[in-house]
Every structure is written in structure tokens, then in C-alpha cells.
Amino acid sequence: MDHFQMNNSKVYLDFLMNVNADMLLYASSPEGNEGAFEAAKFYERNLIMFSNFNKIPLSADDRVFLLMGGTHSAFFRQWLERSPKYHEVDVLPYLK
């Protein structure tokens, strides 16, 4: 259970986003922006996933459980935190 709690902590999710996407921003040739283009693909894939999630018809009474990999969870968490449409509930209290 400790493993699930660690993998869902804000610190760990931020770390995953950094090592899987943001770190690419530092990898490029002197004349190009190769790392930024690769990071953009990663961001784009997650934006498309979130856009598809937003297409699901939900009522104000619906509750949704999202199960996905860590880095996708990190992206979704940042958008859910700022969303006027959704209310994110921390999963950690349920991981006992």
C-alpha cells in the first residue's frame, strides 16, 4: 500500500512530469529544438486524452474514478485542479 501512496503523492507526480516531459526541453542541438518538439508531442497526447475525457456526458451528481499511469495522472491532476467543471478528490485517504 505504501507503494500506491507514494505513486499518487503530488511530489512524485511532479517528478514524473519532470523526468518524462519537461526534461526534454533541455535536449536539443545548437541549431534546433528537438527536445521541445518531443515534449510537445507528449503534452499533446495528454491534452487529447483530457479533451476526450471532457466529451463524456456527466451530470453534477456523477462521480468518476480515473485509473491511468503516473505521468498521465500528473497531467490530469494539474488540469483538474484548475478546472471550473471538476472537483478533484485526493486519492491518498482511500489508499489504506
Side-chain angles (χ1 to χ4, degrees):
M1 199 53 65
D2 290 339
H3 179 74
F4 290 115
Q5 290 173 329
M6 181 199 70
N7 285 346
N8 286 282
S9 70
K10 180 171 177 20
V11 170
Y12 189 72
L13 291 173
D14 286 346
F15 164 77
L16 288 176
M17 187 179 280
N18 189 1
V19 299
N20 288 301
D22 295 347
M23 193 173 285
L24 290 168
L25 299 173
Y26 300 95
S28 62
S29 65
E31 23 332 288
N33 297 299
E34 299 86 357
F37 289 124
E38 293 305 313
K41 291 176 193 174
F42 199 73
Y43 273 79
E44 179 182 39
R45 184 167 69 242
N46 284 282
L47 286 165
I48 290 168
M49 289 171 58
F50 195 73
S51 178
N52 286 334
F53 172 66
N54 279 302
K55 294 176 184 177
I56 300 170
L58 298 171
S59 74
D61 296 324
D62 286 332
R63 293 169 47 171
V64 178
F65 176 75
L66 297 172
L67 179 63
M68 61 185 72
T71 306
H72 297 302
S73 295
F75 276 97
F76 268 62
R77 177 171 281 180
Q78 71 175 349
W79 295 321
L80 291 171
E81 286 175 349
R82 295 190 305 259
S83 173
K85 182 177 179 180
Y86 303 109
H87 171 73
E88 182 190 17
V89 176
D90 187 8
V91 70
L92 291 179
Y94 298 97
L95 297 175
K96 295 183 179 183

Coordinates of all heavy atoms in Angstrom, one line a residue:
M1 N 0.8 -1.2 0.0 CA 0.0 0.0 0.0 C 0.9 1.3 0.0 O 0.5 2.3 -0.6 CB -0.9 0.0 1.2 CG -2.1 0.9 1.1 SD -3.1 0.8 -0.5 CE -3.8 -0.8 -0.3
D2 N 2.0 1.2 0.7 CA 2.9 2.4 0.7 C 3.3 2.7 -0.8 O 3.5 3.9 -1.1 CB 4.2 2.1 1.5 CG 3.9 2.0 3.0 OD1 2.8 2.5 3.4 OD2 4.7 1.4 3.7
H3 N 3.5 1.7 -1.6 CA 3.9 2.0 -3.0 C 2.8 2.8 -3.7 O 3.1 3.8 -4.4 CB 4.0 0.6 -3.7 CG 4.4 0.7 -5.1 ND1 5.6 1.1 -5.6 CD2 3.7 0.5 -6.3 CE1 5.7 1.1 -6.9 NE2 4.5 0.8 -7.3
F4 N 1.5 2.5 -3.5 CA 0.4 3.2 -4.1 C 0.3 4.6 -3.6 O 0.1 5.6 -4.3 CB -0.9 2.5 -3.9 CG -1.0 1.3 -4.7 CD1 -1.1 0.0 -4.1 CD2 -1.0 1.3 -6.1 CE1 -1.2 -1.1 -4.8 CE2 -1.1 0.1 -6.9 CZ -1.2 -1.1 -6.2
Q5 N 0.6 4.8 -2.3 CA 0.5 6.1 -1.7 C 1.6 7.0 -2.2 O 1.4 8.2 -2.6 CB 0.6 6.0 -0.2 CG -0.7 5.4 0.4 CD -0.5 5.2 1.9 OE1 0.5 4.9 2.4 NE2 -1.7 5.3 2.6
M6 N 2.8 6.4 -2.4 CA 4.0 7.2 -2.9 C 3.7 7.6 -4.3 O 3.9 8.7 -4.8 CB 5.3 6.4 -2.8 CG 6.5 7.2 -3.3 SD 7.9 6.2 -3.8 CE 7.3 5.3 -5.2
N7 N 3.2 6.6 -5.1 CA 3.0 6.9 -6.6 C 1.9 7.9 -6.8 O 1.8 8.4 -8.0 CB 2.7 5.6 -7.3 CG 3.9 4.7 -7.5 OD1 5.0 5.2 -7.3 ND2 3.7 3.5 -7.8
N8 N 1.1 8.2 -5.9 CA 0.0 9.2 -6.0 C 0.2 10.5 -5.3 O -0.7 11.3 -5.2 CB -1.3 8.5 -5.6 CG -1.8 7.5 -6.7 OD1 -2.4 7.9 -7.7 ND2 -1.6 6.3 -6.4
S9 N 1.4 10.6 -4.7 CA 1.7 11.9 -4.0 C 2.0 13.0 -5.0 O 2.5 12.7 -6.1 CB 2.9 11.7 -3.0 OG 4.1 11.5 -3.8
K10 N 1.7 14.2 -4.6 CA 2.0 15.3 -5.5 C 3.5 15.4 -5.9 O 3.8 15.7 -7.0 CB 1.5 16.6 -4.9 CG 1.7 17.8 -5.7 CD 1.1 19.1 -5.2 CE 1.3 20.3 -6.0 NZ 1.7 20.3 -7.3
V11 N 4.3 15.2 -4.9 CA 5.8 15.3 -5.1 C 6.2 14.3 -6.2 O 6.9 14.6 -7.1 CB 6.6 15.1 -3.8 CG1 8.0 14.9 -4.1 CG2 6.3 16.2 -2.9
Y12 N 5.7 13.0 -6.1 CA 6.1 12.0 -7.1 C 5.5 12.3 -8.4 O 6.2 12.1 -9.5 CB 5.7 10.6 -6.6 CG 6.2 9.5 -7.4 CD1 7.6 9.2 -7.4 CD2 5.4 8.8 -8.3 CE1 8.1 8.2 -8.1 CE2 5.9 7.8 -9.0 CZ 7.3 7.5 -9.0 OH 7.8 6.5 -9.7
L13 N 4.3 12.7 -8.5 CA 3.6 13.1 -9.8 C 4.4 14.2 -10.5 O 4.6 14.2 -11.7 CB 2.2 13.3 -9.6 CG 1.3 12.1 -9.2 CD1 -0.1 12.5 -8.9 CD2 1.4 11.0 -10.3
D14 N 4.8 15.2 -9.7 CA 5.6 16.3 -10.3 C 6.9 15.8 -10.8 O 7.4 16.2 -11.9 CB 5.8 17.4 -9.2 CG 4.6 18.2 -8.9 OD1 3.6 18.2 -9.7 OD2 4.6 19.0 -7.9
F15 N 7.5 14.9 -10.1 CA 8.8 14.3 -10.5 C 8.6 13.5 -11.8 O 9.4 13.7 -12.8 CB 9.3 13.3 -9.4 CG 10.3 12.3 -9.9 CD1 11.6 12.8 -10.1 CD2 10.0 11.0 -10.2 CE1 12.6 11.9 -10.5 CE2 11.0 10.1 -10.6 CZ 12.3 10.6 -10.8
L16 N 7.5 12.8 -12.0 CA 7.2 12.0 -13.2 C 7.0 13.0 -14.4 O 7.5 12.7 -15.5 CB 6.0 11.1 -13.0 CG 6.1 9.9 -12.2 CD1 4.8 9.2 -12.0 CD2 7.2 9.0 -12.7
M17 N 6.3 14.1 -14.2 CA 6.1 15.0 -15.3 C 7.5 15.6 -15.7 O 7.7 15.8 -16.9 CB 5.2 16.1 -14.9 CG 4.8 17.0 -16.0 SD 3.6 18.3 -15.6 CE 2.1 17.4 -15.6
N18 N 8.3 15.9 -14.7 CA 9.6 16.5 -15.0 C 10.5 15.5 -15.8 O 11.0 15.9 -16.8 CB 10.3 16.9 -13.7 CG 11.5 17.7 -13.9 OD1 11.9 18.0 -15.0 ND2 12.2 18.1 -12.9
V19 N 10.6 14.3 -15.3 CA 11.5 13.3 -16.0 C 11.0 12.8 -17.3 O 11.8 12.4 -18.2 CB 12.0 12.2 -15.1 CG1 12.7 12.7 -13.9 CG2 10.8 11.3 -14.7
N20 N 9.7 12.8 -17.5 CA 9.1 12.2 -18.7 C 8.7 13.2 -19.7 O 8.5 12.9 -20.9 CB 7.8 11.4 -18.3 CG 8.2 10.1 -17.7 OD1 8.9 9.3 -18.2 ND2 7.7 9.9 -16.4
A21 N 8.6 14.5 -19.4 CA 8.3 15.5 -20.4 C 9.1 16.7 -20.3 O 9.8 17.1 -21.3 CB 6.8 15.9 -20.2
D22 N 9.2 17.4 -19.2 CA 9.9 18.7 -19.1 C 11.4 18.5 -19.3 O 12.0 19.5 -19.8 CB 9.6 19.3 -17.7 CG 8.2 19.7 -17.5 OD1 7.4 19.7 -18.5 OD2 7.8 20.0 -16.4
M23 N 12.0 17.4 -18.9 CA 13.4 17.3 -19.1 C 13.8 17.3 -20.6 O 14.9 17.7 -20.9 CB 13.9 15.9 -18.5 CG 15.4 15.8 -18.4 SD 15.9 14.4 -17.5 CE 15.5 14.8 -15.8
L24 N 12.9 17.0 -21.5 CA 13.1 17.0 -22.9 C 13.4 18.4 -23.4 O 14.1 18.6 -24.4 CB 12.0 16.4 -23.7 CG 11.7 14.9 -23.5 CD1 10.4 14.6 -24.1 CD2 12.8 14.2 -24.2
L25 N 12.9 19.4 -22.6 CA 13.2 20.8 -23.0 C 14.6 21.2 -23.0 O 15.0 22.2 -23.6 CB 12.3 21.7 -22.1 CG 10.8 21.5 -22.1 CD1 10.2 22.4 -21.1 CD2 10.3 21.8 -23.5
Y26 N 15.4 20.4 -22.3 CA 16.9 20.7 -22.2 C 17.7 19.9 -23.2 O 18.9 20.1 -23.3 CB 17.3 20.4 -20.8 CG 16.6 21.2 -19.7 CD1 15.5 20.7 -19.1 CD2 17.0 22.5 -19.5 CE1 14.8 21.4 -18.1 CE2 16.4 23.3 -18.5 CZ 15.3 22.7 -17.9 OH 14.6 23.5 -16.9
A27 N 17.0 19.1 -24.0 CA 17.7 18.3 -25.0 C 17.5 18.8 -26.4 O 16.4 18.7 -27.0 CB 17.3 16.8 -24.9
S28 N 18.5 19.5 -27.0 CA 18.4 20.0 -28.3 C 19.8 20.2 -28.9 O 20.7 20.4 -28.2 CB 17.5 21.2 -28.4 OG 18.1 22.3 -27.6
S29 N 19.8 20.3 -30.2 CA 21.1 20.6 -30.8 C 21.2 22.2 -30.9 O 20.2 22.9 -30.6 CB 21.1 20.1 -32.3 OG 20.1 20.7 -33.0
P30 N 22.4 22.7 -31.1 CA 22.6 24.1 -31.1 C 21.7 24.8 -32.2 O 21.3 26.0 -31.9 CB 24.1 24.3 -31.5 CG 24.7 23.0 -31.1 CD 23.7 22.0 -31.3
E31 N 21.4 24.1 -33.2 CA 20.5 24.8 -34.2 C 19.1 24.4 -34.2 O 18.3 25.0 -35.0 CB 21.1 24.6 -35.7 CG 21.9 23.6 -36.2 CD 22.9 22.8 -35.4 OE1 24.0 23.3 -35.0 OE2 22.7 21.6 -35.2
G32 N 18.7 23.5 -33.3 CA 17.3 23.0 -33.3 C 16.7 23.0 -32.0 O 17.3 23.4 -31.0
N33 N 15.4 22.6 -31.9 CA 14.7 22.5 -30.7 C 14.0 21.1 -30.6 O 12.8 20.9 -30.3 CB 13.6 23.5 -30.7 CG 14.1 24.9 -30.7 OD1 14.8 25.3 -29.8 ND2 13.8 25.7 -31.7
E34 N 14.8 20.1 -30.9 CA 14.3 18.7 -31.0 C 13.6 18.3 -29.7 O 12.6 17.6 -29.7 CB 15.5 17.7 -31.3 CG 16.1 17.9 -32.6 CD 17.3 19.0 -32.6 OE1 17.5 19.6 -31.5 OE2 17.9 19.1 -33.6
G35 N 14.2 18.6 -28.5 CA 13.6 18.2 -27.3 C 12.3 18.8 -27.0 O 11.3 18.2 -26.5
A36 N 12.2 20.1 -27.4 CA 10.9 20.8 -27.2 C 9.8 20.2 -28.1 O 8.7 20.1 -27.7 CB 11.1 22.3 -27.5
F37 N 10.2 19.8 -29.3 CA 9.2 19.1 -30.2 C 8.7 17.8 -29.6 O 7.6 17.5 -29.7 CB 9.8 18.9 -31.6 CG 9.9 20.2 -32.4 CD1 11.2 20.6 -32.9 CD2 8.9 21.1 -32.6 CE1 11.3 21.8 -33.6 CE2 9.0 22.3 -33.3 CZ 10.2 22.6 -33.8
E38 N 9.7 17.0 -29.0 CA 9.3 15.8 -28.4 C 8.4 16.0 -27.2 O 7.4 15.3 -27.0 CB 10.5 14.9 -28.1 CG 11.3 14.5 -29.3 CD 10.4 13.7 -30.3 OE1 9.7 12.8 -29.8 OE2 10.5 14.0 -31.5
A39 N 8.8 17.0 -26.4 CA 7.9 17.3 -25.2 C 6.5 17.8 -25.7 O 5.5 17.4 -25.0 CB 8.6 18.4 -24.4
A40 N 6.5 18.5 -26.7 CA 5.2 19.0 -27.2 C 4.3 17.8 -27.6 O 3.1 17.8 -27.4 CB 5.4 19.9 -28.4
K41 N 4.9 16.8 -28.2 CA 4.1 15.6 -28.6 C 3.5 14.9 -27.3 O 2.4 14.4 -27.3 CB 5.0 14.5 -29.3 CG 5.4 15.0 -30.7 CD 6.4 13.9 -31.3 CE 7.1 14.4 -32.5 NZ 8.1 13.4 -33.0
F42 N 4.3 14.9 -26.3 CA 3.9 14.3 -25.0 C 2.8 15.1 -24.4 O 1.8 14.5 -24.0 CB 5.1 14.2 -24.0 CG 4.9 13.2 -22.9 CD1 5.0 11.9 -23.2 CD2 4.7 13.7 -21.7 CE1 4.8 10.9 -22.1 CE2 4.5 12.8 -20.6 CZ 4.6 11.4 -20.9
Y43 N 2.9 16.4 -24.4 CA 1.8 17.3 -23.9 C 0.6 17.1 -24.8 O -0.5 17.1 -24.2 CB 2.3 18.7 -23.9 CG 3.0 19.1 -22.6 CD1 4.4 18.8 -22.4 CD2 2.4 19.9 -21.6 CE1 5.0 19.2 -21.2 CE2 3.0 20.2 -20.5 CZ 4.4 19.9 -20.3 OH 5.0 20.2 -19.1
E44 N 0.8 17.1 -26.1 CA -0.3 17.0 -27.0 C -1.1 15.7 -26.7 O -2.4 15.7 -26.7 CB 0.1 17.0 -28.4 CG -1.0 16.9 -29.4 CD -0.6 16.9 -30.9 OE1 0.5 16.3 -31.2 OE2 -1.2 17.5 -31.7
R45 N -0.4 14.6 -26.5 CA -1.1 13.3 -26.3 C -2.0 13.5 -25.0 O -3.1 13.0 -25.0 CB -0.1 12.2 -26.2 CG -0.8 10.9 -26.0 CD 0.1 9.7 -26.1 NE 1.1 9.6 -25.1 CZ 2.4 9.7 -25.2 NH1 2.9 9.9 -26.4 NH2 3.3 9.6 -24.2
N46 N -1.5 14.1 -24.0 CA -2.2 14.3 -22.7 C -3.4 15.2 -22.9 O -4.4 15.1 -22.3 CB -1.3 14.6 -21.6 CG -0.5 13.5 -21.1 OD1 -1.0 12.6 -20.4 ND2 0.7 13.3 -21.6
L47 N -3.2 16.3 -23.7 CA -4.2 17.3 -23.9 C -5.4 16.6 -24.7 O -6.6 16.8 -24.4 CB -3.7 18.4 -24.7 CG -2.9 19.4 -24.0 CD1 -2.1 20.3 -25.0 CD2 -3.7 20.2 -23.0
I48 N -5.1 15.7 -25.6 CA -6.1 15.0 -26.4 C -6.8 14.0 -25.4 O -8.1 13.9 -25.5 CB -5.5 14.2 -27.6 CG1 -5.0 15.2 -28.6 CG2 -6.5 13.2 -28.1 CD1 -4.1 14.6 -29.7
M49 N -6.1 13.4 -24.6 CA -6.8 12.5 -23.6 C -7.8 13.3 -22.7 O -8.9 12.9 -22.5 CB -5.7 11.8 -22.7 CG -4.9 10.7 -23.4 SD -3.6 10.1 -22.4 CE -4.4 9.5 -21.0
F50 N -7.3 14.5 -22.2 CA -8.2 15.3 -21.4 C -9.4 15.8 -22.2 O -10.5 15.9 -21.7 CB -7.4 16.4 -20.7 CG -8.1 17.1 -19.6 CD1 -8.2 16.5 -18.4 CD2 -8.7 18.4 -19.8 CE1 -8.9 17.1 -17.3 CE2 -9.3 19.0 -18.7 CZ -9.5 18.3 -17.5
S51 N -9.1 16.2 -23.4 CA -10.2 16.6 -24.3 C -11.3 15.5 -24.5 O -12.5 15.8 -24.4 CB -9.7 17.1 -25.6 OG -10.7 17.5 -26.5
N52 N -10.8 14.3 -24.7 CA -11.7 13.2 -24.8 C -12.5 12.9 -23.5 O -13.7 12.6 -23.6 CB -10.9 11.9 -25.2 CG -10.5 11.9 -26.7 OD1 -11.1 12.6 -27.5 ND2 -9.5 11.2 -27.0
F53 N -11.8 13.1 -22.4 CA -12.5 12.9 -21.1 C -13.6 14.0 -21.0 O -14.7 13.6 -20.5 CB -11.5 13.1 -20.0 CG -12.0 13.2 -18.6 CD1 -12.7 12.1 -18.1 CD2 -11.9 14.3 -17.9 CE1 -13.3 12.1 -16.8 CE2 -12.5 14.4 -16.6 CZ -13.1 13.3 -16.1
N54 N -13.4 15.2 -21.5 CA -14.4 16.2 -21.4 C -15.6 16.0 -22.3 O -16.6 16.6 -22.1 CB -13.8 17.6 -21.7 CG -13.0 18.2 -20.6 OD1 -13.6 18.4 -19.5 ND2 -11.7 18.4 -20.7
K55 N -15.5 15.1 -23.2 CA -16.6 14.7 -24.1 C -17.6 13.8 -23.5 O -18.7 13.6 -24.0 CB -16.1 14.2 -25.4 CG -15.3 15.2 -26.3 CD -14.7 14.5 -27.5 CE -13.8 15.5 -28.3 NZ -13.2 14.8 -29.4
I56 N -17.2 13.2 -22.4 CA -18.1 12.2 -21.7 C -19.2 13.0 -21.0 O -18.9 13.9 -20.2 CB -17.3 11.4 -20.6 CG1 -16.2 10.6 -21.3 CG2 -18.2 10.5 -19.9 CD1 -15.2 9.9 -20.4
P57 N -20.4 12.7 -21.3 CA -21.5 13.4 -20.7 C -21.6 13.1 -19.2 O -21.8 11.9 -18.9 CB -22.8 13.0 -21.5 CG -22.4 11.8 -22.3 CD -20.9 11.7 -22.3
L58 N -21.5 14.1 -18.4 CA -21.6 13.9 -16.9 C -22.6 14.9 -16.3 O -22.7 16.0 -16.8 CB -20.2 14.1 -16.3 CG -19.1 13.2 -16.7 CD1 -17.7 13.6 -16.2 CD2 -19.4 11.7 -16.3
S59 N -23.3 14.4 -15.3 CA -24.1 15.3 -14.5 C -23.4 15.8 -13.3 O -22.3 15.3 -13.0 CB -25.4 14.6 -14.1 OG -25.2 13.7 -13.1
A60 N -23.9 16.8 -12.6 CA -23.3 17.3 -11.4 C -23.2 16.3 -10.3 O -22.4 16.4 -9.4 CB -24.1 18.5 -10.9
D61 N -24.1 15.3 -10.4 CA -24.1 14.2 -9.3 C -23.2 13.0 -9.7 O -23.0 12.2 -8.8 CB -25.5 13.7 -9.2 CG -26.4 14.7 -8.6 OD1 -26.0 15.6 -7.8 OD2 -27.6 14.7 -9.0
D62 N -22.6 13.0 -10.8 CA -21.7 11.9 -11.2 C -20.4 12.0 -10.5 O -19.9 13.0 -10.2 CB -21.5 11.9 -12.7 CG -22.7 11.4 -13.5 OD1 -23.5 10.6 -13.0 OD2 -22.8 11.9 -14.7
R63 N -19.8 10.8 -10.2 CA -18.5 10.7 -9.7 C -17.7 9.8 -10.6 O -18.2 8.8 -11.2 CB -18.6 10.0 -8.3 CG -19.3 10.9 -7.3 CD -19.6 10.2 -6.0 NE -18.4 9.5 -5.5 CZ -18.4 8.9 -4.3 NH1 -19.4 9.1 -3.5 NH2 -17.4 8.3 -3.9
V64 N -16.5 10.2 -10.9 CA -15.6 9.5 -11.9 C -14.3 9.1 -11.2 O -13.7 9.9 -10.5 CB -15.3 10.4 -13.1 CG1 -14.4 9.7 -14.1 CG2 -16.6 10.9 -13.7
F65 N -13.9 7.8 -11.4 CA -12.6 7.4 -11.0 C -11.8 7.2 -12.2 O -12.1 6.4 -13.1 CB -12.8 6.0 -10.2 CG -11.5 5.4 -9.8 CD1 -10.8 5.9 -8.7 CD2 -11.0 4.3 -10.5 CE1 -9.6 5.4 -8.3 CE2 -9.8 3.8 -10.1 CZ -9.1 4.3 -9.0
L66 N -10.6 7.9 -12.2 CA -9.7 7.8 -13.4 C -8.5 6.9 -12.9 O -7.9 7.2 -11.9 CB -9.2 9.1 -13.8 CG -10.3 10.1 -14.3 CD1 -9.6 11.5 -14.5 CD2 -10.8 9.6 -15.6
L67 N -8.3 5.9 -13.7 CA -7.1 5.0 -13.5 C -6.2 5.1 -14.7 O -6.6 4.7 -15.8 CB -7.6 3.6 -13.2 CG -6.6 2.5 -13.0 CD1 -5.8 2.8 -11.7 CD2 -7.2 1.1 -12.9
M68 N -5.0 5.6 -14.5 CA -4.1 5.7 -15.6 C -2.7 5.7 -15.0 O -2.5 5.7 -13.8 CB -4.4 7.0 -16.3 CG -4.2 8.3 -15.5 SD -4.7 9.8 -16.4 CE -6.4 9.6 -16.5
G69 N -1.7 5.7 -15.9 CA -0.3 5.8 -15.5 C 0.1 7.1 -14.8 O -0.6 8.1 -14.9
G70 N 1.2 7.0 -14.1 CA 1.6 8.1 -13.3 C 1.8 9.5 -14.0 O 1.3 10.5 -13.5
T71 N 2.4 9.5 -15.1 CA 2.6 10.7 -15.8 C 1.3 11.3 -16.4 O 1.1 12.5 -16.3 CB 3.7 10.6 -16.9 OG1 4.9 10.0 -16.3 CG2 4.1 12.0 -17.5
H72 N 0.5 10.4 -16.9 CA -0.8 10.9 -17.3 C -1.6 11.5 -16.1 O -2.3 12.5 -16.2 CB -1.6 9.8 -18.0 CG -1.0 9.2 -19.2 ND1 -0.7 10.0 -20.3 CD2 -0.6 8.0 -19.5 CE1 -0.2 9.3 -21.3 NE2 -0.1 8.0 -20.8
S73 N -1.5 10.8 -15.0 CA -2.2 11.3 -13.8 C -1.6 12.7 -13.4 O -2.4 13.5 -13.0 CB -1.9 10.3 -12.6 OG -2.5 9.1 -12.9
A74 N -0.3 12.9 -13.6 CA 0.2 14.2 -13.2 C -0.3 15.3 -14.1 O -0.7 16.4 -13.6 CB 1.8 14.1 -13.4
F75 N -0.4 15.0 -15.4 CA -1.0 16.0 -16.3 C -2.5 16.3 -16.0 O -2.9 17.4 -15.9 CB -0.9 15.5 -17.8 CG 0.4 15.8 -18.4 CD1 1.4 14.8 -18.5 CD2 0.6 17.0 -19.0 CE1 2.6 15.1 -19.1 CE2 1.8 17.3 -19.6 CZ 2.8 16.3 -19.7
F76 N -3.3 15.2 -15.8 CA -4.7 15.4 -15.5 C -4.9 16.1 -14.1 O -5.8 16.9 -14.0 CB -5.4 14.0 -15.4 CG -6.0 13.6 -16.7 CD1 -5.2 13.3 -17.8 CD2 -7.3 13.4 -16.8 CE1 -5.7 12.9 -19.0 CE2 -7.9 13.0 -18.0 CZ -7.1 12.7 -19.1
R77 N -4.0 15.8 -13.2 CA -4.2 16.5 -11.9 C -4.0 18.0 -12.0 O -4.8 18.7 -11.4 CB -3.1 16.0 -10.9 CG -3.2 16.7 -9.5 CD -2.4 16.0 -8.5 NE -3.1 14.9 -8.0 CZ -2.6 14.1 -7.1 NH1 -1.4 14.3 -6.5 NH2 -3.3 13.0 -6.7
Q78 N -3.1 18.5 -12.8 CA -2.9 19.9 -12.9 C -4.1 20.5 -13.6 O -4.5 21.6 -13.2 CB -1.6 20.2 -13.7 CG -1.7 19.9 -15.1 CD -0.4 20.4 -15.9 OE1 0.4 21.1 -15.3 NE2 -0.3 19.9 -17.1
W79 N -4.7 19.8 -14.6 CA -5.9 20.4 -15.2 C -7.1 20.3 -14.4 O -8.0 21.2 -14.3 CB -6.1 19.7 -16.6 CG -5.0 20.0 -17.5 CD1 -4.3 21.2 -17.7 CD2 -4.4 19.1 -18.4 NE1 -3.3 21.0 -18.7 CE2 -3.4 19.7 -19.1 CE3 -4.6 17.7 -18.7 CZ2 -2.6 19.1 -20.1 CZ3 -3.8 17.1 -19.7 CH2 -2.8 17.8 -20.3
L80 N -7.3 19.2 -13.6 CA -8.4 19.1 -12.7 C -8.4 20.1 -11.6 O -9.5 20.6 -11.2 CB -8.5 17.6 -12.2 CG -8.8 16.5 -13.1 CD1 -8.6 15.2 -12.5 CD2 -10.2 16.7 -13.7
E81 N -7.2 20.4 -11.1 CA -7.1 21.4 -10.0 C -7.6 22.7 -10.5 O -8.1 23.5 -9.7 CB -5.6 21.5 -9.6 CG -5.1 20.3 -8.8 CD -3.7 20.4 -8.4 OE1 -2.9 21.3 -9.0 OE2 -3.2 19.6 -7.6
R82 N -7.4 23.1 -11.7 CA -7.8 24.4 -12.2 C -9.1 24.4 -12.9 O -9.6 25.5 -13.3 CB -6.7 24.9 -13.2 CG -5.4 25.1 -12.6 CD -4.4 25.8 -13.6 NE -4.2 25.2 -14.8 CZ -3.2 24.4 -15.2 NH1 -2.2 24.2 -14.3 NH2 -3.1 23.9 -16.4
S83 N -9.8 23.3 -13.0 CA -11.0 23.2 -13.8 C -12.2 23.8 -13.0 O -12.4 23.5 -11.9 CB -11.3 21.7 -14.1 OG -12.5 21.6 -14.7
P84 N -13.0 24.6 -13.7 CA -14.3 25.0 -13.2 C -15.3 24.0 -13.2 O -16.4 24.1 -12.6 CB -14.6 26.2 -14.0 CG -14.0 25.9 -15.3 CD -12.8 25.2 -15.1
K85 N -15.1 22.9 -14.0 CA -16.1 21.9 -14.2 C -15.9 20.7 -13.3 O -16.9 20.1 -12.9 CB -15.9 21.3 -15.7 CG -16.9 20.3 -16.1 CD -16.7 19.9 -17.5 CE -17.6 18.8 -18.0 NZ -17.4 18.4 -19.4
Y86 N -14.7 20.4 -12.8 CA -14.5 19.2 -12.0 C -14.0 19.6 -10.6 O -13.4 20.6 -10.4 CB -13.4 18.3 -12.7 CG -13.8 17.9 -14.0 CD1 -13.1 18.4 -15.2 CD2 -14.9 17.0 -14.3 CE1 -13.5 18.0 -16.4 CE2 -15.2 16.6 -15.5 CZ -14.5 17.1 -16.6 OH -14.9 16.7 -17.9
H87 N -14.2 18.7 -9.7 CA -13.7 18.8 -8.3 C -12.9 17.5 -8.0 O -13.5 16.5 -7.9 CB -14.9 18.9 -7.3 CG -14.4 18.9 -5.9 ND1 -13.7 19.9 -5.3 CD2 -14.5 17.9 -5.0 CE1 -13.5 19.6 -4.0 NE2 -13.9 18.3 -3.8
E88 N -11.6 17.7 -8.0 CA -10.7 16.6 -7.7 C -10.7 16.2 -6.2 O -10.7 17.1 -5.4 CB -9.3 16.9 -8.2 CG -8.4 15.7 -8.0 CD -6.9 16.1 -8.1 OE1 -6.6 17.3 -8.1 OE2 -6.1 15.1 -8.3
V89 N -10.8 14.9 -6.0 CA -10.7 14.4 -4.6 C -9.4 13.7 -4.5 O -9.1 12.8 -5.3 CB -11.9 13.5 -4.3 CG1 -11.8 12.9 -2.9 CG2 -13.2 14.2 -4.4
D90 N -8.7 14.0 -3.5 CA -7.4 13.3 -3.2 C -7.6 11.8 -3.0 O -8.4 11.4 -2.2 CB -6.7 14.0 -2.1 CG -5.3 13.5 -1.9 OD1 -4.7 12.7 -2.7 OD2 -4.7 13.8 -0.8
V91 N -6.8 11.0 -3.7 CA -7.0 9.6 -3.6 C -6.3 9.0 -2.4 O -6.6 7.9 -1.9 CB -6.5 8.9 -4.9 CG1 -5.0 9.0 -5.1 CG2 -6.9 7.4 -5.0
L92 N -5.3 9.7 -1.8 CA -4.5 9.2 -0.8 C -5.3 8.7 0.5 O -4.9 7.6 1.0 CB -3.4 10.2 -0.4 CG -2.3 10.4 -1.4 CD1 -1.3 11.4 -1.0 CD2 -1.6 9.1 -1.8
P93 N -6.3 9.4 0.9 CA -7.0 8.9 2.1 C -7.7 7.5 1.8 O -8.0 6.8 2.8 CB -8.1 10.0 2.3 CG -7.5 11.2 1.8 CD -6.7 10.7 0.6
Y94 N -8.0 7.2 0.6 CA -8.6 5.9 0.2 C -7.6 4.8 0.1 O -8.0 3.6 0.0 CB -9.4 6.1 -1.0 CG -10.5 7.1 -0.9 CD1 -10.3 8.4 -1.4 CD2 -11.7 6.8 -0.3 CE1 -11.3 9.4 -1.2 CE2 -12.7 7.7 -0.2 CZ -12.5 9.0 -0.6 OH -13.5 10.0 -0.5
L95 N -6.4 5.1 0.1 CA -5.3 4.1 -0.1 C -4.8 3.6 1.3 O -3.7 4.0 1.7 CB -4.2 4.6 -1.0 CG -4.6 4.9 -2.4 CD1 -3.4 5.5 -3.2 CD2 -5.1 3.7 -3.2
K96 N -5.6 2.9 2.0 CA -5.2 2.4 3.3 C -5.2 0.9 3.4 O -5.9 0.2 2.7 CB -6.2 3.0 4.4 CG -6.1 4.5 4.5 CD -7.0 5.0 5.5 CE -6.8 6.5 5.6 NZ -7.5 7.1 6.6

